[in-house]
Amino acid sequence: ETGVTQTPRHLVMGMTNKKSLKCEQHLGHNAMYWYKQSAKKPLELMFVYNFKEQTENNSVPSRFSPECPNSSHLFLHLHTLQPEDSALYLCASSQDRGQGSNIQYFGAGTRLSVL
Amino acid sequence: AQSVTQPDIHITVSEGASLELRCNYSYGATPYLFWYVQSPGQGLQLLLKYFSGDTLVQGIKGFEAEFKRSQSSFNLRKPSVHWSDAAEYFCAVGDSGGGADGLTFGKGTHLIIQP
């Protein structure tokens, strides 16, 4: 039990579908993150939220839309995805942002396949 | 921009043998350094971290790592591996300047344990 829960664990969607990934952290943290893990590539930071405010967007295409209604929940809304978006999407949380020393705790990820 | 290089994509070690996984980083100042492990179907779990002080740091599961500034390295070691150590290992750098929130990861090293 890592304290960070992601649902669903697996998702298959067509290019015209709309779906959402959910992340919930039970650690009392203030910062939450979305990462993309593709085969043979390093983990890529997508978005950062701190106290529900988005603080970083790493040039992510608009077909990915994050939402953070409170410090415990983070969503990633998906629409009109491409096959190259197939990957493992990892959520993480940390006590605070702003310093690289904040330890990030990861969920198990959602394995997304876009057909 | 910071970067992390893990030169070994795969490493095979016999059970009971010693292990060293290499990590080199590129960063302008003293970075925050992390090693994470990812078992199949799981998220990333923190093994150990270096922020400052003693350059030899101890982690969980019997792992240790040594920060060598002159070589820009942070290699992970274990004196005797167990079959349960088979996993993907990621080295990561955090921004000590407080400019970025997320971590920069290497591509990972896949560890295979031979009986």
Side-chain angles (χ1 to χ4, degrees), chain A residues 3-21:
Chain A
V4 181
T5 304
Q6 291 187 241
T7 55
R9 293 294 307 276
H10 301 274
L11 178 63
V12 179
M13 57 186 292
M15 294 169 61
T16 58
N17 291 159
K18 291 183 179 181
K19 297 287 184 182
S20 295
L21 310 185

Side-chain angles (χ1 to χ4, degrees), chain B residues 76 80 82 92 94 98:
Chain B
L76 182 71
S80 177
H82 186 262

